[in-house]
């Protein structure tokens, strides 16, 4: 009963967020007109163009980005057994961002294959980041969590510095890269959605099927091994799947902080801590939360548009401080 309720609430919330994202913006479209435009019977040609060329691809791109960050955030929190973990903890997002900026600086044409270069470079950089962090953190055959976090912070700082350097060198692409860095759908459109989707199917699919393994990991590495789980292999698999999801999100939506931290934690508090359900529910919650943040970014200073990363940071920073204080009170290290 509780699981049915949680699915119903999040699916209803996602449907509402999708509707608001399509309807609201610098030009509002009535719900009745949205339906007519979807079936090709729009009263105004402008509404048809806005819906199919701008709103729908943007909405889908934001929804997919939120799903990637929500799902990977839940996976990282389970993997590290730490409610403060998120996709940025071990430098994956910073590494993916570096790869995306490198691809942007090469000025690929705006085509399907040109867009493929951005997530491909982001994924390669994210994978290299994961491998470097794992190599630095490994102690013998073990992969201690504390070492992973410390190595991730160091590698993340290095990748961020290189990203800033490239942005300063590529003056022609600086504005585009800066808009991307603040978070948003700067690289939107149907080609971006088509490129992003297969990455997310692989990455999030890998995380969803890892729910049982994440449940077992909550008992600790030693007990998980006694229960027959190959901890090192499972940890590597989850890191790679989460890195793929994060790379896809960062490639087209930029750096959007705190979403991967907040959404899984809220889902855990309200609905369930079972990772078989927590990860898919966090995927739905991540899509809903980012869509609502994007709507807010569009209407707050309309017709001017705020980067959605600013909205998530303004909401996420106080939540992070509350969560940090709560963790300290409860003795979570």
């Amino acid at each position: 009963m509780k699981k049915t309720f949680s699915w119903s609430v999040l699916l209803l919330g996602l449907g509402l967020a999708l509707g608001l994202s399509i309807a609201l913006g610098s030009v509002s479209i009535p719900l009745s007109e949205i339906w007519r435009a979807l079936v090709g019977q729009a009263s105004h040609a402008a509404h048809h163009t806005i819906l199919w060329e701008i709103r729908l691809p943007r909405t889908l791109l934001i929804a997919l980005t939120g799903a990637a960050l929500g799902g990977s955030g839940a996976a990282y929190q389970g993997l590290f057994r730490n409610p403060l973990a998120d996709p940025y903890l071990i430098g994956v997002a910073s590494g993916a961002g570096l790869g995306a900026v490198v691809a942007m600086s090469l000025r690929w044409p705006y085509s399907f294959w040109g867009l493929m270069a951005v997530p491909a470079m982001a994924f390669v950089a994210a994978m290299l980041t994961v491998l470097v962090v794992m190599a630095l953190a490994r102690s013998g055959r073990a992969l201690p969590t504390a070492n992973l976090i410390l190595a991730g912070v160091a590698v993340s700082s290095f990748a961020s510095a290189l990203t800033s350097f490239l942005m300063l060198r590529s003056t022609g692409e600086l504005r585009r890269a800066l808009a991307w860095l603040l978070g948003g759908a700067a690289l939107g459109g149907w080609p971006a959605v088509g490129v992003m989707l297969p990455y997310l199917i692989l990455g999030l699919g890998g995380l969803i099927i890892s729910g049982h393994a994440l449940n077992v990991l909550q008992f600790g590495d030693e007990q998980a091994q006694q229960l027959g789980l190959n901890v090192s292999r499972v940890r590597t698999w989850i890191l790679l799947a989460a890195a793929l999801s994060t790379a896809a999100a960062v490639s087209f939506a930029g750096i959007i902080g705190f979403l991967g931290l907040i959404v899984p934690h809220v889902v855990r508090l309200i609905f369930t801590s079972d990772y078989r359900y927590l990860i898919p529910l966090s995927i739905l919650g991540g899509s809903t939360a980012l869509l609502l943040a994007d709507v807010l970014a569009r209407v707050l200073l309309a017709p001017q548009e705020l980067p959605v990363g600013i909205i998530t940071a303004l909401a996420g920073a106080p939540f992070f401080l509350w969560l940090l204080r709560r963790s300290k009170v409860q003795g979570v290290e």
Side-chain angles (χ1 to χ4, degrees):
M1 183 67 180
K2 186 176 180 180
K3 294 183 179 66
T4 303
F5 174 75
S6 61
W7 282 104
S8 300
V9 168
L10 286 174
L11 286 172
L12 183 62
L14 179 59
L16 177 63
L18 287 169
L20 290 173
S21 179
I22 294 172
L24 298 180
S26 56
V27 176
S28 296
I29 304 177
L31 291 178
S32 58
E33 184 65 13
I34 289 175
W35 174 250
R36 292 193 195 98
L38 287 174
V39 297
Q41 298 177 355
S43 303
H44 303 283
H47 287 165
H48 183 276
T49 301
I50 291 172
L51 182 68
W52 283 101
E53 300 299 325
I54 300 174
R55 294 277 173 85
L56 275 177
R58 180 195 177 108
T59 294
L60 290 176
L61 189 67
I62 292 293
L64 291 173
T65 300
L69 295 176
S72 56
Y76 281 127
Q77 289 176 15
L79 185 66
F80 298 125
R81 299 191 295 276
N82 191 324
L84 301 178
D86 77 344
Y88 300 87
L89 184 67
I90 62 169
V92 176
S94 297
L98 175 60
V101 168
V102 169
M104 289 180 198
S105 66
L106 297 177
R107 302 184 183 182
W108 296 91
Y110 191 82
S111 63
F112 181 83
W113 295 111
L115 284 173
M116 277 290 288
V118 178
M121 291 287 285
F123 174 63
V124 169
M127 292 296 103
L128 289 175
T129 302
V130 170
L131 293 175
V132 170
V133 169
M134 290 173 63
L136 292 173
R138 191 173 297 278
S139 178
R141 298 184 63 182
L143 200 62
T145 299
N147 289 6
L148 269 173
I149 294 174
L150 291 173
V153 169
V155 173
S156 177
S157 299
F158 182 76
S160 297
L162 283 179
T163 301
S164 300
F165 174 76
L166 286 174
M167 287 175 62
L168 291 174
R169 294 279 296 178
S170 303
T171 54
E173 294 291 308
L174 181 58
R175 184 176 180 85
R176 179 189 182 202
L178 182 59
W180 166 85
L181 189 63
L182 292 173
L187 295 175
W190 288 113
V193 174
V195 170
M196 189 179 188
L197 195 58
Y199 286 86
L200 289 189
I201 291 174
L202 290 173
L204 294 180
L207 295 180
I208 289 172
I209 65 176
S210 302
H212 174 70
L214 282 167
N215 283 337
V216 176
L217 282 174
Q218 303 315 298
F219 296 109
D221 290 0
E222 291 185 6
Q223 192 164 349
Q225 287 178 336
Q226 291 174 2
L227 292 171
L229 190 71
N230 189 324
V231 173
S232 182
R233 181 181 299 171
V234 166
R235 181 169 290 162
T236 301
W237 165 259
I238 295 173
L239 282 172
L240 293 177
L244 180 57
S245 302
T246 304
V250 169
S251 299
F252 294 108
I255 306 296
I256 298 175
F258 295 107
L259 191 80
L261 168 73
I262 296 173
V263 170
H265 196 76
V266 171
V267 171
R268 187 183 294 106
L269 285 175
I270 298 176
F271 298 119
T272 181
S273 58
D274 185 341
Y275 282 91
R276 293 174 300 171
Y277 304 100
L278 177 61
I279 289 180
L281 289 175
S282 294
I283 290 171
L284 290 177
S287 290
T288 303
L290 194 57
L291 282 169
L292 294 176
D294 184 59
V295 169
L296 197 58
R298 277 186 268 164
V299 301
L300 271 181
L301 299 177
Q304 184 180 359
E305 182 179 318
L306 288 172
V308 70
I310 293 178
I311 302 297
T312 60
L314 289 173
F319 183 89
F320 177 79
L321 293 174
W322 171 81
L323 184 57
L324 183 63
R325 180 176 176 80
R326 183 174 181 270
S327 299
K328 288 175 67 177
V329 170
Q330 293 183 349
V332 177
E333 297 182 358

